[in-house]
């Protein structure tokens, strides 16, 4: 029972697509025959086909209207300097953000005793080198 209903729904969907193709004159002879057979037994698709035909006829018989003014500008608006500067600034910000993001991703170790690392210290305050090693000499020895 459920399989028959599913087949009917698929058949109806295909038939409704064929109705549209028939209205545009793009239906093959075989599809036209199959559509005619489906419409003979399916009341819902017959009603759909009639509504689609009436709608297409109404659309095709309605005279075209010309707009009172043009919908396309005569010439494109020039790109202003301010827009170009904003575009360059945006590109620079994206580049800096990508660089900071990659440094953060490479240096983030999951945090230590002070909590998770933000990675900002890596960029703003790089670690200072360790102090030089000094050796303590006992008194009286000169090397």
């Amino acid at each position: 029972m459920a399989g028959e209903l599913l087949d009917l729904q698929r058949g109806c969907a295909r038939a409704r697509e064929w109705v549209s193709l028939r209205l545009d004159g793009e239906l093959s002879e075989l599809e036209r025959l199959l559509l005619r057979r489906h419409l003979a037994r399916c009341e819902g698709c017959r009603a759909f086909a009639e509504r689609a035909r009436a709608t297409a006829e109404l659309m095709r018989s309605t005279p075209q209207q010309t707009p009172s003014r043009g919908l396309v500008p005569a010439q494109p608006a020039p790109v202003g300097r301010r827009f170009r500067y904003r575009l360059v600034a945006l590109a620079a910000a994206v580049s800096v953000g990508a660089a900071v993001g990659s440094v953060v991703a490479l240096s983030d170790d999951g945090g230590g005793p002070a909590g998770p690392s933000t990675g900002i210290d890596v960029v703003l305050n790089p670690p200072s080198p360790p102090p030089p090693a000094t050796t303590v000499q006992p008194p009286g020895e000169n090397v």
Side-chain angles (χ1 to χ4, degrees):
M1 179 73 177
E4 291 175 18
L5 181 61
L6 187 59
D7 287 342
L8 181 63
Q9 289 174 342
R10 281 191 213 135
C12 290
R14 185 176 45 217
R16 290 173 187 215
E17 183 179 338
W18 286 343
V19 165
S20 177
L21 290 171
R22 182 177 67 177
L23 288 170
D24 294 336
E26 299 178 6
L27 200 60
S28 72
E29 287 183 45
L30 175 63
E31 291 167 331
R32 206 170 331 162
L33 173 67
L34 293 172
L35 175 61
R36 206 171 327 144
R37 289 177 64 194
H38 181 84
L39 293 178
R41 66 185 191 319
C42 183
E43 178 64 35
C45 288
R46 249 193 328 270
F48 174 83
E50 179 54 33
R51 286 191 312 269
R53 185 203 56 75
T55 301
E57 188 177 297
L58 179 64
M59 294 292 288
R60 291 175 181 157
S61 65
T62 303
Q64 290 185 344
Q65 297 290 319
T66 306
S68 60
R69 61 186 177 115
L71 300 176
V72 179
Q75 52 182 295
V79 176
R81 255 192 195 146
R82 189 179 298 181
F83 176 75
R84 277 186 251 149
Y85 290 138
R86 287 181 181 167
L87 188 60
V88 169
L90 176 64
V94 168
S95 299
V96 169
V100 169
S102 63
V103 168
V104 168
L106 291 175
S107 67
D108 192 9
D109 62 349
S117 169
T118 62
I120 295 176
D121 288 340
V122 174
V123 176
L124 300 178
N125 302 318
S128 55
T134 56
T135 56
V136 179
Q137 297 180 359
E141 285 185 33
N142 289 337
V143 179

